[in-house]
Amino acid sequence: MHWKYIIVHHTGAEEENTAQIRNYHRRLGWRDIGYHFVIERDGALVPGRVQCERGAHCVAGGMNTNALGVALIGNFEIRRPHPEQVTALASLLRRLMVEHRIPATGILGHGEVNGAKTACPGRYLDLRSLRHELNSVLNKKA
Ligand SMILES: [Zn+2]
C-alpha cells in the first residue's frame, strides 16, 4: 500500500478497549478491525489492522486504499479527548509522517474528507492545532 493520508477518527462510543472494537467489526463480517491504530482512553496505542492491508474506516474519497486509519476511543462531540490521548496521537502521527513521507496537510479528520458526511472525529478534537504543531516534522534534518 502507498499511504498518502492519515485519517483521524473518534469511535463515537466509550468502548472498554480495542478488543471490543475488533470483535464488533468482525461481527460485521469484516476480516479485522477497520482501523490501523487505536488510541485507548489512557493513551495506550494498540495496533489494529496490519499496515499492509487496506483499511475499512472511510469509504469517501477512496480513502480506504489511500489512508491509514487512526481512531481514538471516545465521543469527542460530547467530551474532550484525554490529554494522554492527544499526546499519543501526536507522537503516532509524527512517526507515521516520517515513515510514509506524509506532510501535515495529509492529516485529515474523517469529516474533512470530501463526501464524508460525519461529525467524526468530533468538535473537541483540535486537528488544526495538531497539524500546525506537526507542520515542520518532514523538514527537520534526520
Ligand atoms: Zn470516522
Side-chain angles (χ1 to χ4, degrees):
M1 307 293 305
H2 176 62
W3 304 115
K4 297 195 213 47
Y5 301 93
I6 304 164
I7 302 211
V8 180
H9 302 262
H10 69 168
T11 62
E14 299 289 348
E15 292 93 347
E16 274 307 303
N17 51 36
T18 307
Q20 191 182 337
I21 304 167
R22 178 172 260 126
N23 287 338
Y24 170 62
H25 286 179
R26 283 189 169 148
R27 277 201 307 275
L28 296 176
W30 301 358
R31 183 186 9 223
D32 195 1
I33 186 170
Y35 311 112
H36 294 99
F37 297 94
V38 176
I39 295 170
E40 299 186 338
R41 264 188 299 275
D42 61 357
L45 172 66
V46 182
R49 184 174 288 223
V50 289
Q51 277 195 59
C52 57
E53 281 186 19
R54 73 196 293 282
H57 57 91
C58 181
V59 173
M63 286 299 187
N64 282 331
T65 53
N66 288 321
L68 287 163
V70 178
L72 284 70
I73 289 183
N75 183 342
F76 306 144
E77 276 289 278
I78 59 175
R79 73 155 168 97
R80 277 167 214 294
H82 297 305
E84 296 86 348
Q85 290 183 293
V86 180
T87 304
L89 176 62
S91 83
L92 173 65
L93 291 173
R94 195 178 296 271
R95 188 182 104 201
L96 294 175
M97 288 169 73
V98 170
E99 195 175 326
H100 299 286
R101 308 302 298 170
I102 298 169
T105 50
I107 299 168
L108 299 173
H110 186 182
E112 292 177 307
V113 176
N114 270 340
K117 292 182 180 64
T118 174
C120 177
R123 73 186 78 189
Y124 291 117
L125 185 61
D126 187 358
L127 278 183
R128 192 173 300 213
S129 302
L130 262 177
R131 274 191 292 261
H132 184 73
E133 180 187 325
L134 296 169
N135 207 20
S136 61
V137 166
L138 289 190
N139 302 331
K140 293 211 177 91
K141 296 240 174 5

